[in-house]
Amino acid sequence: ELRRQATDLATTTEQHRQTETRLRDNEAYFQSLVESLPQNIFRKDLNGRFTFVNGAFCRTVKRHKSQLIGVTDFDLFPEELSRRYVEDDRLVISTGNALEKTEVNVTPDGQRHWFHVIKTLLLDASGQPVGLQGSFWEVTQEKRIEEQLAQERDLLHALLEHAPDAIYFK
């Protein structure tokens, strides 16, 4: 009987060790993936405190990870932006629906920058909300190109509408 119990214990211990190894490997794979992405990735708890940020996020806000964990948007961004971010967070948390949008932010010197933002509810293993997670990336160049194309399209349309000669395309 003791021999069987010892064998069972050894088997259980080996299974536990293998499970721990798989968990560590999965965590390493996750970290590698998230750190290699060019998008800014973050997680916040239900109180709006950052619990995770990737390297791209750190570079964007020009702070080390150790300076970001536990802080809120109000510690990082101007008040107007922070209020908007918190409103979006509350919407995601209260509805459980993902939020996806492109927003413009104006720097203190008047420059406009566009960002594409995705935020989703973060659930624990039992399905209970524990916060939210999100990613964002700058799309300023794409927006400026869209604006230029729209402006050129409008100019061409105005020219075609008001030209004294008949113009057609074949």
Side-chain angles (χ1 to χ4, degrees), residues 148-161:
Q148 289 172 345
L149 287 172
Q151 189 176 38
E152 289 179 20
R153 182 192 64 236
D154 292 344
L155 287 172
L156 178 60
H157 182 71
L159 174 67
L160 292 173
E161 288 293 317

Side-chain angles (χ1 to χ4, degrees), residues 3 47 143:
R3 197 176 302 228
N47 296 316
K143 287 303 245 181

Side-chain angles (χ1 to χ4, degrees), residues 7-123:
T7 302
D8 289 348
L9 180 60
T11 301
T12 302
T13 301
E14 178 59 20
Q15 289 171 340
H16 183 68
R17 187 190 65 71
Q18 289 175 356
T19 300
E20 285 180 348
T21 299
R22 284 194 302 271
L23 284 172
R24 279 193 301 276
D25 288 347
N26 283 338
E27 179 66 20
Y29 298 149
F30 170 78
Q31 287 292 338
S32 174
L33 172 66
V34 169
E35 289 301 326
S36 68
L37 293 172
Q39 290 85 5
N40 300 271
I41 298 174
F42 63 90
R43 286 186 187 154
K44 297 179 190 176
D45 64 18
L46 292 173
N47 296 316
R49 298 198 175 280
F50 288 94
T51 60
F52 172 84
V53 294
N54 73 342
F57 187 96
C58 294
R59 288 186 292 280
T60 296
V61 299
K62 296 177 176 62
R63 296 202 187 176
H64 189 270
K65 281 184 185 187
S66 63
Q67 298 171 302
L68 297 171
I69 303 305
V71 302
T72 69
D73 290 317
F74 290 98
D75 299 313
L76 300 176
F77 306 109
E79 188 169 340
E80 178 185 330
L81 281 180
S82 296
R83 287 185 195 280
R84 192 169 65 202
Y85 297 159
V86 168
E87 284 176 21
D88 290 346
D89 294 353
R90 287 183 184 149
L91 180 65
V92 170
I93 291 168
S94 67
T95 65
N97 295 328
L99 175 118
E100 183 172 1
K101 67 179 185 176
T102 300
E103 61 187 24
V104 64
N105 295 335
V106 181
T107 61
D109 63 357
Q111 291 185 8
R112 295 175 2 158
H113 295 270
W114 284 267
F115 294 89
H116 192 81
V117 180
I118 299 173
K119 293 182 178 183
T120 60
L121 191 61
L122 181 61
L123 305 174

